Amino acid sequence: MVVTRPWRLPRWTEVRELHTGRCGRVVLAWPAYESGSEDGEQAESPAVARATGAGLGPARPAVVRYVPARPLIHRPREAAFRADVRRLAGLRIPEAAVPYRFVQAPAFRTAYERSAVAAGGALISDAVEGVTLACLLDRHGVLSGPAATVLFRDVLRALAAAHERDTAHGDLRPGKVMVGADGAVTVTGLGLAALTTGAPELRAPELWQGSGDATHEADVYAAACVLHRCLTGRPPFPVPQLFSLMARHTTAPVPLTGIPRPLRELLAAALTKDPELRPRAAALLAEMRRSRKTDWEETGRVELGALAAPMVEPLPRTPPPQPPLPRPPLRPTRPAGSTAALGPPSRRKVPYAKELG
């Protein structure tokens, strides 16, 4: 049996593993930079420029997701995935960590034939300093109305920006929302809609009944489920059986028990069963601007930061030390005064010039 090493993104150094899930292994990594620029800054090497894109600023860590080869074997799915990454390229908003490059693994289809866990490529995204909303809720249980409102609004901003580029998230969940020490909220996991079906407890009714493809309306429904989790400590329909979960999402009335009164109408609209009647992310944002409480913004942001700050692991500020280059073998030296030839004796007994003569 031939054991092959898993493919890794060339000229990148892994700092630590962040997560391993259905859409691959996720690591924090640092690109290789070469010194020698005129202004004393670290100059980006050509390999890094091809992997990360030009003009992205100084050296910094990034999140590298090793996308499994298995979903990319299906050519229509691979084409949809690549199209989403291209449409998201260039999007820069504080509420979203956007992938800016996909590097395909060489011969990944052949590698998949040899190993079912082969990587199809590496998706590079901005690194975010923060803690996931899932970890935050596991420790603190629920959020206050102001904190949950600020978080929901920032999530909608990220979704609205992605939807403007005709892409969906497809797998929004508490584990894909980061909260920083300053209360900043960032949505991660964009660009993977073609490769995942989302979490069942957050799945919109139309996804249970249809093809399961990610849509803008389904993103809004998942965001509302996340809001419900933040306010009550549980998803809208906390049942473990898959069939019962499908029945609840498709037919049960929207549960509003424990929801603060100012948010009930907003949540009910976002959890509407009919996707045609469900408001889009931009429409919900406009409604929140009209009915927002001016004191909730600062209060909610401060609370989010206070809850997250003790749990945030800072990003590295400097690249990890590079392994030393292998030293070249020492050449033998000729002893002083010696006329003996260096190296092993020649196998040829007759000089080449005499053979020609």
Side-chain angles (χ1 to χ4, degrees), residues 60-71:
R60 66 192 187 281
V63 172
V64 177
R65 178 186 295 271
Y66 288 101
V67 180
R70 182 173 183 175

Side-chain angles (χ1 to χ4, degrees), residues 147-317:
T149 301
V150 169
L151 184 139
F152 184 58
R153 187 201 60 193
D154 288 354
V155 169
L156 289 178
R157 284 178 175 172
L159 293 179
H163 295 170
E164 286 181 359
R165 295 183 174 237
D166 196 26
T167 62
H169 189 289
D171 191 23
L172 186 67
R173 61 178 77 193
K176 299 291 180 70
V177 179
M178 301 289 292
V179 181
D182 57 352
V185 177
T186 308
V187 174
T188 66
L190 288 164
L192 301 172
L195 308 181
T196 181
T197 57
E201 63 271 16
L202 310 179
R203 192 175 297 165
E206 63 271 19
L207 299 186
W208 291 101
Q209 300 169 336
S211 64
D213 295 336
T215 63
H216 301 173
E217 295 82 4
D219 281 349
V220 171
Y221 189 92
C225 291
V226 171
L227 176 61
H228 191 284
R229 169 77 171 83
C230 292
L231 293 170
T232 65
R234 61 185 182 277
F237 305 107
V239 292
Q241 297 81 11
L242 199 62
F243 183 80
S244 299
L245 190 61
M246 178 185 68
R248 297 288 183 87
H249 276 289
T250 55
T251 61
V254 177
L256 298 176
T257 303
I259 305 299
R261 188 174 299 275
L263 296 175
R264 289 183 182 177
E265 184 176 349
L266 187 72
L267 186 63
L271 289 175
T272 300
K273 305 295 184 185
D274 188 347
E276 298 294 332
L277 302 178
R278 193 180 307 143
R280 296 290 187 97
L284 287 174
L285 280 172
E287 179 60 29
M288 293 182 73
R289 283 193 294 266
R290 286 192 294 268
S291 60
R292 70 177 180 178
K293 293 181 176 292
T294 56
D295 58 331
W296 278 27
E297 167 67 24
E298 183 177 356
T299 303
R301 190 74 67 187
V302 170
E303 179 183 338
L304 285 174
L307 295 176
M311 305 174 63
V312 172
E313 183 176 358
L315 292 175
R317 305 302 181 197

Side-chain angles (χ1 to χ4, degrees), residues 22-98:
R22 293 173 298 174
C23 290
R25 179 172 174 262
V26 185
V27 300
L28 183 68
W30 203 289
Y33 279 73
E34 297 176 353
S35 60
S37 59
E38 296 179 358
D39 56 0
E41 296 289 336
Q42 287 181 310
E44 190 177 54
S45 67
V48 174
R50 289 192 296 269
T52 62
L56 294 176
R60 66 192 187 281
V63 172
V64 177
R65 178 186 295 271
Y66 288 101
V67 180
R70 182 173 183 175
L72 298 180
I73 295 298
H74 187 253
R75 294 188 183 274
R77 182 178 293 180
E78 179 196 7
F81 163 69
R82 289 180 177 274
D84 281 344
V85 174
R86 285 194 300 268
R87 284 191 287 262
L88 289 170
L91 177 62
R92 291 291 180 268
I93 59 172
E95 294 85 7
V98 181

Side-chain angles (χ1 to χ4, degrees), residues 51-141:
T52 62
L56 294 176
R60 66 192 187 281
V63 172
V64 177
R65 178 186 295 271
Y66 288 101
V67 180
R70 182 173 183 175
L72 298 180
I73 295 298
H74 187 253
R75 294 188 183 274
R77 182 178 293 180
E78 179 196 7
F81 163 69
R82 289 180 177 274
D84 281 344
V85 174
R86 285 194 300 268
R87 284 191 287 262
L88 289 170
L91 177 62
R92 291 291 180 268
I93 59 172
E95 294 85 7
V98 181
Y100 50 79
R101 186 74 173 178
F102 176 69
V103 181
Q104 179 178 300
F108 73 91
R109 298 180 188 278
T110 303
Y112 177 70
E113 294 176 357
R114 299 175 180 174
S115 173
V117 296
L123 186 65
I124 309 171
S125 307
D126 294 324
V128 180
E129 187 172 277
V131 60
T132 65
L133 178 61
C135 293
L136 202 67
L137 294 176
D138 286 343
R139 173 173 293 189
H140 299 287

